[in-house]
Amino acid sequence: MKKIFSLATILMATFLCASAQNIQLHYDLGHSLNSDLSGRPSVTTTIEMFRPDGWGSTYFFTDIDYFHDGVAGAYWEVSREVNISKNRQWAIHAEYNGGLASSQLNDMSTRFQHAALAGAAWNWHSADFSRTFSLQAMYKYYFKGQNVWNRPFSSFQATAVWGLTTANKRFTFSGFVDCWYDKSVKGNWILLSEPQLWWNLSAMKGMEKVPVSVGCEVELSNNFVFDKYGRNDRFHAIPTIAAKWTF
């Protein structure tokens, strides 16, 4: 998942209509399905918040990864959009990313090379907000990291985010795809996508007051996930089993 190394932008599928917060619990199957990822944390919790206002919207999330004996690392991202069109479709987007991770293979900890992003966003939704879509194009600046080779450099990131709620609100299909420049990887580009499928229990008869969804996520990445040998030069498809409480 996006939970271990640098993470890109995601918007809540309900952007523009109401504030929303949720807590997610993911059981990551990467360590079980791929021996090269045996050092990958198996559990991640995510806290998300989205809140619109008269100017635009604010979004943040925090991911915390866990080994069996404690916390493995944490990552957070916060973004702000300011509307620049009357129909609220066009906005200026600003964002910060950063975090810390440790390895199960040694006692070393690694800080993410934190980054600041700025650019433009185009947001669309259907009349009932059951379908949403966002495109973002951003300049990305990496600050100096803890290692001498993590020097400051400029980058570019393109992001697409989608949400689709269907079958009388029983199911939600959401996710994002990010592509950004990183001169340290093979081919100089990283691709990351995390489609999620949720079964919303509140849409079931007699369970209207149960704000719980169960489902799964698949992390599709190229040049992103590091294996136990320190390589991040290949494609991975890593599924999770997940539950979400929306409040």
Side-chain angles (χ1 to χ4, degrees):
M1 291 190 293
K2 60 193 176 193
K3 325 299 183 188
I4 299 183
F5 298 95
S6 175
L7 175 69
T9 308
I10 186 173
L11 290 174
M12 293 294 294
T14 53
F15 73 96
L16 299 178
C17 60
S19 61
Q21 296 77 228
N22 71 79
I23 298 175
Q24 301 177 24
L25 175 66
H26 290 261
Y27 182 73
D28 191 299
L29 299 173
H31 66 288
S32 300
L33 300 178
N34 191 329
S35 60
D36 290 347
L37 302 178
S38 59
R40 185 179 174 91
S42 56
V43 175
T44 297
T45 55
T46 299
I47 299 174
E48 287 186 313
M49 189 281 292
F50 171 81
R51 187 177 298 276
D53 54 45
W55 290 70
S57 63
T58 301
Y59 171 78
F60 75 81
F61 74 85
T62 299
D63 288 331
I64 302 177
D65 299 315
Y66 304 88
F67 291 135
H68 68 279
D69 58 348
V71 173
Y75 176 89
W76 91 298
E77 181 174 308
V78 58
S79 65
R80 174 67 189 177
E81 288 196 353
V82 177
N83 298 321
I84 56 176
S85 64
K86 291 184 178 180
N87 60 6
R88 300 173 62 93
Q89 283 192 321
W90 289 96
I92 297 172
H93 183 102
E95 182 179 325
Y96 168 81
N97 306 332
L100 177 74
S102 62
S103 172
Q104 198 173 37
L105 303 177
N106 54 54
D107 294 328
M108 298 294 292
S109 294
T110 302
R111 292 193 301 271
F112 298 123
Q113 189 173 2
H114 60 168
L117 301 89
W122 178 80
N123 303 313
W124 174 88
H125 64 90
S126 61
D128 61 356
F129 290 91
S130 63
R131 293 170 291 156
T132 62
F133 188 71
S134 175
L135 287 174
Q136 301 163 15
M138 295 168 287
Y139 167 80
K140 186 173 187 177
Y141 180 76
Y142 283 97
F143 296 89
K144 180 176 174 58
Q146 71 180 111
N147 300 312
V148 295
W149 56 85
N150 290 144
R151 300 186 183 280
F153 71 93
S154 298
S155 178
F156 174 81
Q157 178 173 306
T159 294
V161 186
W162 69 89
L164 172 64
T165 299
T166 187
N168 293 322
K169 300 183 179 180
R170 288 183 175 87
F171 297 100
T172 298
F173 176 59
S174 59
F176 71 91
V177 58
D178 293 319
C179 184
W180 72 95
Y181 171 79
D182 189 323
K183 61 182 180 180
S184 68
V185 302
K186 182 174 66 176
N188 296 333
W189 289 92
I190 295 175
L191 180 70
L192 175 67
S193 182
E194 291 185 2
Q196 296 181 340
L197 180 62
W198 298 102
W199 175 30
N200 304 312
L201 300 184
S202 60
M204 308 302 292
K205 186 176 181 180
M207 302 185 70
E208 292 82 2
K209 296 184 178 180
V210 180
V212 175
S213 303
V214 294
C216 62
E217 174 185 276
V218 180
E219 178 183 330
L220 305 172
S221 66
N222 192 58
N223 291 341
F224 179 71
V225 173
F226 283 80
D227 63 20
K228 66 181 182 181
Y229 304 109
R231 301 173 303 193
N232 68 324
D233 58 353
R234 58 203 61 207
F235 175 81
H236 289 281
I238 304 170
T240 75
I241 301 171
K244 177 171 65 173
W245 183 286
T246 302
F247 58 95

